[in-house]
Amino acid sequence: MREFVVEADGGSRGNPGPAGYGAVVRDAATGQTLAEAAEYIGVATNNVAEYRGLLAGLRAARALDPEAAVHVRMDSKLVVEQMSGRWKIKHPGMKPLAAEAAGIFPPGRVTYEWIPRESNKHADRLANEAMDAGGRGEQWRPPEPAAGPDAPAARAAAPEPAGPPGDAA
């Protein structure tokens, strides 16, 4: 069974405010970046942006191999604890996002780990690039792929949105 590591991040400039997310899918054995995704999502809360990053990362992993096992690493304690089932999801705006994330892979195929912010720099950079692009009235576009072992094999500019861009919780 193939194994992936998904690193995801989301942020908003203000809460709510202009928001975006970034996600990276890596091969668990080699560390090679296989896919990246980032998107400006309009005005949303930080937590909505974090969940949207998770959704994008899980969707990108599923597109690569729907039978894979996935280890998600995020610096959002809230998302990690809620998706791991240790914290209740009280906010009604978070429940559909969590349910959607839980349905991308079968139960037991995804594990979650909280990591410090400084260990999530790649996904954080993508989220900030998406917010910067949105501030210019543009969509995030991946840079031209570089040659070499770390060059992503596939990049996603913007996966299917989980709801209206201004959907703030």
Side-chain angles (χ1 to χ4, degrees):
M1 175 184 298
R2 236 174 138 186
E3 294 182 22
F4 297 131
V5 173
V6 168
E7 295 171 352
D9 198 19
S12 62
R13 295 176 178 160
N15 201 18
Y21 65 75
V24 182
V25 180
R26 299 183 194 280
D27 181 280
T30 67
Q32 178 186 12
T33 298
L34 302 174
E36 293 179 325
E39 184 181 11
Y40 173 72
I41 59 174
V43 175
T45 64
N46 182 65
N47 291 335
V48 165
E50 294 276 9
Y51 265 104
R52 295 282 301 273
L54 170 63
L55 287 165
L58 290 173
R59 285 189 192 115
R62 183 172 172 77
L64 290 166
D65 186 348
E67 303 301 317
V70 179
H71 183 68
V72 174
R73 297 166 32 101
M74 295 181 71
D75 61 21
S76 171
K77 186 85 167 163
L78 178 84
V79 173
V80 168
E81 295 299 324
Q82 288 179 340
M83 292 304 299
S84 297
R86 292 185 290 267
W87 290 2
K88 289 185 179 183
I89 303 169
K90 296 178 184 174
H91 196 287
M94 299 292 110
K95 289 179 182 183
L97 296 170
E100 187 174 349
I104 294 175
F105 281 93
R109 195 98 61 74
V110 180
T111 58
Y112 291 88
E113 175 188 4
W114 177 83
I115 57 173
R117 185 174 184 191
E118 54 273 5
S119 297
N120 203 23
K121 289 182 180 178
H122 191 153
D124 179 70
R125 176 180 52 79
L126 293 173
N128 278 291
E129 286 177 6
M131 286 185 277
D132 292 345
R136 295 188 304 269
E138 303 169 0
Q139 283 295 322
W140 176 83
R141 297 280 179 243
E144 288 300 313
D150 292 333
R155 295 183 185 245
E160 292 283 321
D167 188 22

